Amino acid sequence: MTHFIDGHLVNAGSPATVYDPSDGTPVADITLGGAAEVGRAVEAARTAFGEWSRATPAERSGVLASFARALEERSGEFAALESRQAGKPIRLTTEFDVPGTIDNTAFFAGAARNLEGKATGEYSGAHTSSIRREAVGVVGSVAPWNYPLQMAAWKVLPAIAAGNTIVLKPAEITPLTTVLFAQVAHESGLPAGVFNVVTGTGPDAGSTLLRHPDVDMVSFTGSTRVGRTVLEAAATTAKRVHLELGGKAPFVVFDDADLEAAIHGAVAGSLINSGQDCTAATRAIVHRSVYDDFVAGVADLMGKVVLGPTADEATDLGPLISAAHRDKVAGMVDRARSYARVVTGGVIPGGALTAGHYYSPTLIADADPASEIVKDEIFGPVLAAMPFDSDDEAIALANDTVYGLAASVWTKDVYRALRGTEQIRAGCVWVNDHISIISEMPHGGMKQSGFGKDMSTYSFDDYTVVKHVMFDRTGTAQRDWHRTIFRNV
């Protein structure tokens, strides 16, 4: 499995190998495509667009419903493959990644029949106006390596449900479930060319896709740094752009919070997917009166987290995606030792785990809000904690970031909760929880975390164009407004 173009598996390009981050063993040999493969895929998507965009909502819904059933039947296969290529514990892929993808597919099977517009009406008096929502066209998407299957689904499903066709470039180090996802979609009745996958590097396949003149829209999930490059590339042909970028989520714990719940939420929220999650809790902002107890509780619970083989049901935490990324995380923690306190973790495990890219769950306390460990995205199993004294200070610290993807507020006071959800600048603010997502609600950020929404019917705002249609109601040749153009007729 390398590329999926126009309804067929295709092997073309330079050879490469996908490795299991947990032990370094090969998972699959692949080929990396470039401009030629992207060109073939875009041509297939352009050809398929005419028929697919004219399919009825019921027809598109039916295909997606069949797709959801097929994914359910092959859920074990997807979970095992996702675990191996991305280094995820099998429990995470079985209980989170794959079920979430199936649910998303089932949701968009229904949402495909619910494209809404403003009510038809006579707004000028002499005309009847109505709104059409139409597909944008060919969508070029670039997905990340941290959630290969789910991110593919988040990009593909709203696009095709709305009548678009798509060319998706997965991360070249984790493309396997994305290609299988496209193959199962086609086997479920999705016409050839509607959903294409080209595996390749960013400079080759990604750059070509973003700048291709026959691509009408680009969607990117990844770092803010690369997101700026995507914007520049899309500007060359004035494409519509959808960006889901980095995050540095605040986890605000007030003095009246359920401390046990906050401790459990902080550990789960910071360690999910080994911390390789844009919405992961990374900055614990805790009231000084409960700060020491919070730090002690988080450290104790982190110490009980089990690192191990990803195929083992007992494993809680998997490896980071690569040795280079693990070393980057370790470097940030090591530099933090000079200005903050590493309470627990901060080491690369030895023994049986040395063959993989593991890093221990890490809690850093007393970091200055202006320090690297607090300001910059770590993307690893690291939580930085700092105290606050007043509600105003807590909100200010939560907003003291260029990012605005997600946040959480922990309190029993409804007024504090309301203030936090209003004043914290993030695309999603949880109250007394962190990370939870559902298909019916949107996901997306503000500030340098990007713009546009994944999931929910709000995603259709990105993947459709609004067209105003206006009918004359008078049947007259001469209109009053004509007199502003010519008087003597």
Side-chain angles (χ1 to χ4, degrees):
M1 298 185 294
T2 297
H3 319 293
F4 191 80
I5 300 173
D6 203 19
H8 301 284
L9 290 169
V10 175
N11 286 307
S14 58
T17 303
V18 175
Y19 293 95
D20 185 335
S22 70
D23 57 17
T25 58
V27 179
D29 291 325
I30 62 172
T31 54
L32 300 179
E37 288 69 40
V38 170
R40 289 174 58 188
V42 171
E43 182 180 3
R46 177 60 64 194
T47 300
F49 175 71
E51 183 175 349
W52 182 247
S53 64
R54 292 191 296 270
T56 65
E59 289 168 339
R60 293 198 292 267
S61 174
V63 171
L64 288 170
S66 297
F67 187 20
R69 291 191 293 269
L71 291 172
E72 182 75 52
E73 292 168 1
R74 299 178 68 169
S75 60
E77 180 183 359
F78 275 98
L81 188 59
E82 188 81 336
S83 174
R84 290 200 66 202
Q85 71 166 356
K88 294 171 179 277
I90 190 65
R91 216 167 64 235
L92 181 65
T93 61
T94 301
E95 298 178 12
F96 183 75
D97 296 73
V98 174
T101 301
I102 295 169
D103 185 70
N104 262 255
T105 308
F107 170 80
F108 278 105
R113 305 181 77 155
N114 192 37
L115 284 171
E116 296 180 342
K118 195 172 185 178
T120 297
E122 289 67 55
Y123 299 98
S124 76
H127 304 84
T128 295
S129 288
S130 64
I131 292 294
R132 292 177 56 89
R133 278 193 177 270
E134 297 182 354
V136 175
V138 175
V139 179
S141 289
V142 178
W145 49 259
N146 58 332
Y147 288 100
L149 180 60
Q150 280 199 313
M151 295 300 98
W154 284 16
K155 293 188 172 305
V156 170
L157 295 170
I160 64 175
N164 300 281
T165 56
I166 191 166
V167 178
L168 175 64
K169 190 202 87 65
E172 66 273 19
I173 55 176
T174 56
L176 304 180
T177 50
T178 304
V179 176
L180 182 59
F181 190 62
Q183 186 178 3
V184 174
H186 180 64
E187 292 169 354
S188 302
L190 193 68
V194 173
F195 177 14
N196 308 274
V197 178
V198 176
T199 300
T201 66
D204 293 332
S207 179
T208 302
L209 182 61
L210 296 175
R211 291 175 169 82
H212 200 291
D214 281 338
V215 171
D216 302 293
M217 171 184 171
V218 295
S219 174
F220 171 79
T221 296
S223 71
T224 297
R225 177 184 60 82
V226 178
R228 297 189 188 103
T229 302
V230 172
L231 277 171
E232 293 170 359
T236 62
T237 50
K239 301 183 193 304
R240 178 179 290 201
V241 180
H242 173 288
L243 297 176
E244 198 264 82
L245 306 177
K248 194 70 179 174
F251 187 99
V252 183
V253 182
F254 289 97
D255 56 356
D256 66 329
D258 181 329
L259 196 58
E260 181 183 8
I263 289 168
H264 280 79
V267 173
S270 63
L271 300 186
I272 186 170
N273 203 37
S274 299
Q276 300 170 129
D277 187 310
C278 298
T279 61
T282 59
R283 297 182 295 139
I285 301 166
V286 185
H287 193 273
R288 196 175 299 276
S289 66
V290 297
Y291 179 74
D292 289 342
D293 290 339
F294 176 86
V295 168
V298 168
D300 179 66
L301 191 53
M302 278 187 170
K304 298 174 183 178
V305 171
V306 177
L307 283 70
T310 52
D312 189 339
E313 290 279 353
T315 294
D316 298 321
L317 196 71
L320 297 177
I321 191 65
S322 68
H325 184 57
R326 179 202 59 198
D327 293 346
K328 176 243 182 187
V329 171
M332 294 182 73
V333 173
D334 288 342
R335 288 191 293 275
R337 298 179 196 277
S338 66
Y339 56 78
R341 178 165 52 103
V342 178
V343 182
T344 190
V347 298
I348 297 174
L353 300 180
T354 54
H357 314 312
Y358 290 86
Y359 195 74
S360 60
T362 301
L363 174 63
I364 296 174
D366 310 338
D368 188 283
S371 62
E372 176 193 43
I373 207 75
V374 175
K375 286 290 189 182
D376 296 344
E377 193 171 28
I378 305 170
F379 227 57
V382 180
L383 177 64
M386 67 200 84
F388 72 87
D389 294 300
S390 69
D391 289 12
D392 287 346
E393 183 185 8
I395 299 296
L397 286 170
N399 285 329
D400 188 20
T401 175
V402 299
Y403 300 109
L405 187 58
S408 63
V409 174
W410 297 74
T411 179
K412 297 175 183 176
D413 186 326
V414 66
Y415 300 106
R416 273 179 167 163
L418 287 170
R419 181 186 180 190
T421 57
E422 175 198 357
Q423 295 185 5
I424 293 177
R425 299 280 292 162
C428 175
V429 181
W430 293 283
V431 178
N432 296 327
D433 200 358
H434 199 98
I435 290 293
S436 297
I437 54 174
I438 51 175
S439 297
E440 291 83 358
M441 289 289 111
H443 177 276
M446 57 180 68
K447 301 198 288 187
Q448 291 189 33
S449 288
F451 44 81
K453 298 298 180 185
D454 294 312
M455 302 197 298
S456 82
T457 55
Y458 290 98
S459 63
F460 287 144
D461 292 341
D462 296 290
Y463 292 100
T464 58
V465 290
V466 174
K467 178 187 288 185
H468 172 212
V469 179
M470 198 173 203
F471 290 87
D472 170 60
R473 292 172 53 84
T474 66
T476 61
Q478 298 184 21
R479 318 291 170 83
D480 290 343
W481 75 267
H482 292 173
R483 307 286 74 78
T484 64
I485 310 302
F486 46 83
R487 290 180 178 276
N488 301 317
V489 176

